[in-house]
Amino acid sequence: MWEDCLWNYVFTTLDRASHMAATSSKDEWHGKELGVRGGKTVHMLIHHSRNTAQKQWDETLVLVLGGIARILRTFFPLLRSITNFWSGWESLLHSVKNSITNGSKEVALAALGCLQSTVLSHSPKGNLPMPYLKSVLDVYDIVLRNPTACGDMATNKVKQEIIHGLGEVYVHAQGMFESSMYSQLLSIIDSAIREAKNTQNNFEAEFGHVPPVQRAVLEVFPQLRPPHHLPLLWTVFFQKLLRYLPNSDSSVQNEGYDAKSVESKGYTSDSNGTTTSEQVEVESLSSSSDSRKASGTTITSDLFAEKLVPVLVDMFLQAPVAEKFIIFPYIIEGLGRCMITRRENPDGGLWGLAVKSFNQLLVDDISKLANGSVPDVSNKPARIRLWKEVADVYEIFLVGYCGRALPSSSLAAISKEDDESLEMELLDVLGDKILMSDIDASPDILERLIITLDRCASRTCSLPVETVELVPPHCSRFSLTCLHKLFSLSSYNNEANNWNATRSQVSKISVMLLMTRCEYILNKFLTAEKELGERAFPPARISEIAFVLQEMASVVLHPETASVLPLHPFLKGGGGQLEENTGQRAHLFVLFVPLCELVKSRNSRVRDLVHALLRLVSTELGLHNICLTR
């Protein structure tokens, strides 16, 4: 009876309705003449949605698909046992595909619902065999990759429903997915994003709206987290997401680490979820990332990336610990690519959002290292690459893309005050969190980070005296803040509990760069004062040298820091009265000559500050009772 019902009624009715919906006339009907009123003919009214034969057959097809959906939802386990049911299923899939591709919006949604209800009803119960699930994914894949006969708005609605449907299918059937199917799922979503990018409405993009299909993708991404039984697919998932950020290369779609490599190479994880092949994965991802850097091809718009970044960061924080360490460097690299969009698009919100996310992830990582809540990973390639990427981001953004004058239109999205606060926040994380903590970065990375601060500090002091006043005030504040960070990193403020090997190494590197920078500033001031003669000295230069002299007075060096200064051992704390101080202000001896020269400065404020510093020198030498004169 079931075979007779399916082959003679159900599928026959579906074929007939589909054929008539596709071939019926589209000529509009006019209602039957009912009579005359007031000298005018009165016609029966026909609703616009039913005024053609084709529209009426479309409604018939909608009813047929709804009926088939109810049959499959209730009797699918029984129907699977019927002879040749698979051929009938394939016929249904063919009709559904044609209905979505060539039918009206109502027909397409009905066809989609027919498949969707079947999968959602039976996959959680284990009644949906793998071939059926794969066949549904194949239909969605084909439909999303090809245009439909609906109008733009209807097409977007249908594709949005398909994307949401994919998310629901994955949530309900997650346990059935293996690596190749998961890769196909991500590929289907990718095709939807690319199609939306190619056909997106310029009006929507201009006024800050993400195209509807891309909005649906953003809503679905959190549902697509890898299944628990395949933790290594987190890397595949993030690799796909990172390609949607700016300056990513689409040509690496099939390179590097993908889902198929998980199966073919047999990567496994132990009972605790710890990856046993991080080395291979990191190297594979590394080549992919380097290729992206080389080409710099933008895959999608900054607007989509701006909405994606919070999703990306949130998903990263939920990833398993072992996989998080592998992908962390590439998250940092991706955020760095977003940050440098500031130069091309200062009005956009992407770069500022990326800066906040960058700070958030680094502070979170440092706090976990400090609390000992993460395993010892200091010697693993992923951690080495992480700090390399961090150094790259700071170097590229702070030195190449930050601190310069921005177009006045930058007030549109983020005010200049907000711009400056983001810069200062970035500096605070670098100077007060990273370099002040016991991190697992190598000495050469620490040196790169400190050199980046020094290069930013030199931005205004290296300018000619004639042009220094032309620099916007926030740029001067930025440079002085960087200089202040160097003073802080060199100084020791009785932080015995926090003084560690990293902190000692940082202070030694910082103090040497600081001495060179201070000597340059002092000598440049003397030279400029001679060149200007009786002309007024730029206030910016006065503020800069006053800041340096005040900071020099407040610095107290740790004995380990003082030991690297190029001074006679006696001046580092080798004997006599100096043994009590142990070279706490040994930096003043390094700069003693230019300080003495500044005594002759015409500026009274500078002379007073130098006078105070020379008194500190006398105290360091134990010459308290000798009166220093100007």
Side-chain angles (χ1 to χ4, degrees):
M1 291 180 64
W2 270 114
E3 290 179 2
D4 182 68
C5 174
L6 289 178
W7 303 117
N8 295 329
Y9 293 94
V10 174
F11 293 128
T12 301
T13 303
L14 175 62
D15 291 341
R16 174 66 174 170
S18 299
H19 173 74
M20 295 303 297
T23 60
S24 295
S25 172
K26 296 182 181 181
D27 296 337
E28 292 188 5
W29 293 338
H30 299 287
K32 181 180 179 182
E33 184 176 325
L34 300 179
V36 178
R37 183 176 183 179
K40 295 182 180 180
T41 304
V42 178
H43 292 272
M44 178 185 295
L45 294 178
I46 301 178
H47 194 270
H48 67 85
S49 63
R50 302 290 183 268
N51 62 356
T52 69
Q54 194 239 3
K55 289 179 180 179
Q56 294 201 3
W57 276 109
D58 278 349
E59 180 60 21
T60 303
L61 182 55
V62 169
L63 295 175
V64 171
L65 289 170
I68 293 175
R70 289 191 295 275
I71 292 175
L72 294 177
R73 189 164 56 243
T74 307
F75 301 106
F76 184 77
L78 171 64
L79 299 179
R80 284 194 298 108
S81 62
I82 295 177
T83 305
N84 294 329
F85 178 72
W86 177 255
S87 63
W89 176 260
E90 289 181 326
S91 175
L92 174 63
L93 293 181
H94 180 72
S95 296
V96 166
K97 182 174 62 176
N98 286 337
S99 296
I100 296 176
T101 303
N102 301 315
S104 64
K105 172 186 172 183
E106 291 76 13
V107 171
L109 292 177
L112 176 63
C114 183
L115 287 187
Q116 194 72 13
S117 63
T118 304
V119 175
L120 298 184
S121 298
H122 299 289
S123 58
K125 304 173 185 177
N127 294 329
L128 187 74
M130 185 69 73
Y132 289 89
L133 179 59
K134 287 184 176 180
S135 65
V136 172
L137 290 180
D138 290 339
V139 170
Y140 288 164
D141 192 1
I142 293 172
V143 171
L144 285 178
R145 292 181 189 275
N146 295 302
T148 65
C150 305
D152 289 341
M153 293 184 63
T155 297
N156 287 335
K157 177 62 177 177
V158 171
K159 291 191 174 183
Q160 284 177 274
E161 290 298 322
I162 292 176
I163 291 168
H164 284 296
L166 281 169
E168 291 180 333
V169 167
Y170 178 71
V171 170
H172 285 79
Q174 188 175 124
M176 299 175 62
F177 275 73
E178 32 78 28
S179 57
S180 61
M181 284 182 62
Y182 186 75
S183 179
Q184 181 185 10
L185 175 66
L186 295 183
S187 178
I188 295 173
I189 297 295
D190 179 69
S191 66
I193 294 175
R194 293 174 186 277
E195 180 66 23
K197 173 183 179 292
N198 293 332
T199 60
Q200 70 181 18
N201 190 310
N202 292 330
F203 178 82
E204 287 189 328
E206 182 179 355
F207 288 92
H209 298 293
V210 177
V213 174
Q214 291 188 353
R215 285 201 302 269
V217 170
L218 291 168
E219 294 169 0
V220 166
F221 266 142
Q223 300 176 5
L224 303 184
R225 66 188 65 188
H228 297 294
H229 61 283
L230 291 173
L232 290 178
L233 291 181
W234 279 94
T235 308
V236 180
F237 179 63
F238 283 117
Q239 185 186 34
K240 181 68 71 174
L241 293 186
L242 289 171
R243 285 179 179 149
Y244 302 132
L245 299 182
N247 303 311
S248 178
D249 180 16
S250 58
S251 66
V252 298
Q253 181 73 21
N254 298 318
E255 296 180 8
Y257 183 74
D258 58 15
K260 293 182 179 179
S261 68
V262 175
E263 280 190 303
S264 63
K265 296 182 181 179
Y267 295 148
T268 60
S269 59
D270 59 23
S271 58
N272 297 322
T274 304
T275 306
T276 58
S277 55
E278 289 96 337
Q279 177 70 39
V280 178
E281 293 158 19
V282 169
E283 289 176 353
S284 182
L285 270 173
S286 175
S287 61
S288 176
S289 177
D290 292 340
S291 298
R292 289 196 297 273
K293 286 182 179 179
S295 68
T297 302
T298 300
I299 282 190
T300 188
S301 67
D302 288 358
L303 188 59
F304 178 73
E306 182 179 340
K307 305 300 182 183
L308 177 63
V309 166
V311 177
L312 178 68
V313 172
D314 184 62
M315 295 296 294
F316 173 75
L317 294 175
Q318 299 177 37
V321 174
E323 307 310 316
K324 187 183 295 185
F325 281 128
I326 295 173
I327 200 65
F328 198 5
Y330 305 97
I331 298 291
I332 294 297
E333 187 262 345
L335 291 175
R337 287 190 273 120
C338 295
M339 289 163 64
I340 63 175
T341 60
R342 181 189 193 187
R343 183 57 46 209
E344 295 78 18
N345 186 21
D347 295 344
L350 176 60
W351 70 269
L353 189 62
V355 168
K356 294 178 181 178
S357 300
F358 178 81
N359 288 336
Q360 175 191 352
L361 294 182
L362 286 182
V363 171
D364 179 72
D365 183 70
I366 292 170
S367 63
K368 289 180 179 178
L369 283 174
N371 296 331
S373 58
V374 297
D376 181 15
V377 292
S378 58
N379 295 322
K380 291 187 177 180
R383 296 297 292 184
I384 295 174
R385 186 170 182 88
L386 167 65
W387 289 113
K388 176 186 176 298
E389 293 293 349
V390 169
D392 286 346
V393 171
Y394 275 117
E395 192 174 77
I396 294 172
F397 182 74
L398 288 181
V399 177
Y401 289 83
C402 197
R404 300 179 186 174
L406 292 176
S408 58
S409 60
S410 64
L411 293 173
I414 302 177
S415 66
K416 288 185 177 180
E417 291 77 10
D418 292 336
D419 290 346
E420 185 176 359
S421 68
L422 286 174
E423 295 171 4
M424 297 307 177
E425 183 181 347
L426 197 65
L427 291 178
D428 288 342
V429 171
L430 175 57
D432 301 340
K433 298 290 186 181
I434 296 178
L435 294 174
M436 285 286 190
S437 303
D438 188 14
I439 60 176
D440 53 343
S442 60
D444 62 310
I445 293 297
L446 295 176
E447 184 174 8
R448 282 185 60 191
L449 292 172
I450 299 169
I451 288 175
T452 297
L453 280 177
D454 179 60
R455 292 177 66 185
C456 293
S458 69
R459 184 168 291 129
T460 55
C461 71
S462 59
L463 293 174
V465 68
E466 298 84 5
T467 61
V468 69
E469 289 296 310
L470 302 178
V471 177
H474 75 273
C475 291
S476 297
R477 288 192 296 268
F478 177 80
S479 293
L480 291 182
T481 301
C482 294
L483 193 57
H484 172 71
K485 298 301 180 187
L486 288 177
F487 277 107
S488 299
L489 294 174
S490 304
S491 185
Y492 174 71
N493 299 318
N494 296 321
E495 47 183 308
N497 295 334
N498 296 326
W499 195 264
N500 49 61
T502 303
R503 182 74 181 85
S504 176
Q505 181 74 21
V506 167
S507 68
K508 291 176 182 178
I509 299 172
S510 299
V511 76
M512 295 302 296
L513 291 172
L514 181 63
M515 292 300 97
T516 302
R517 182 60 51 208
C518 289
E519 184 177 14
Y520 176 84
I521 292 174
L522 298 181
N523 290 333
K524 193 173 184 65
F525 179 85
L526 288 169
T527 302
E529 196 172 43
K530 292 178 182 178
E531 292 176 352
L532 288 175
E534 298 300 324
R535 287 178 291 170
F537 210 84
R541 278 283 186 260
I542 299 295
S543 299
E544 180 183 62
I545 194 166
F547 175 84
V548 171
L549 296 174
Q550 289 169 343
E551 290 287 330
M552 287 173 59
S554 64
V555 169
V556 175
L557 300 183
H558 190 279
E560 294 177 1
T561 307
S563 66
V564 302
L565 294 176
L567 293 171
H568 190 280
F570 180 85
L571 295 176
K572 296 181 182 181
Q577 180 67 30
L578 294 181
E579 292 181 355
E580 298 180 4
N581 301 322
T582 60
Q584 290 182 348
R585 300 188 185 278
H587 61 288
L588 297 179
F589 302 143
V590 177
L591 301 173
F592 186 74
V593 173
L595 286 175
C596 291
E597 292 292 331
L598 280 174
V599 172
K600 300 178 295 183
S601 174
R602 295 190 300 273
N603 188 280
S604 60
R605 184 185 179 190
V606 173
R607 290 198 306 270
D608 290 341
L609 291 172
V610 171
H611 190 200
L613 284 174
L614 293 179
R615 284 188 178 277
L616 290 176
V617 172
S618 68
T619 302
E620 188 76 5
L621 293 172
L623 306 175
H624 305 80
N625 299 323
I626 298 179
C627 180
L628 294 177
T629 60
R630 297 181 182 179

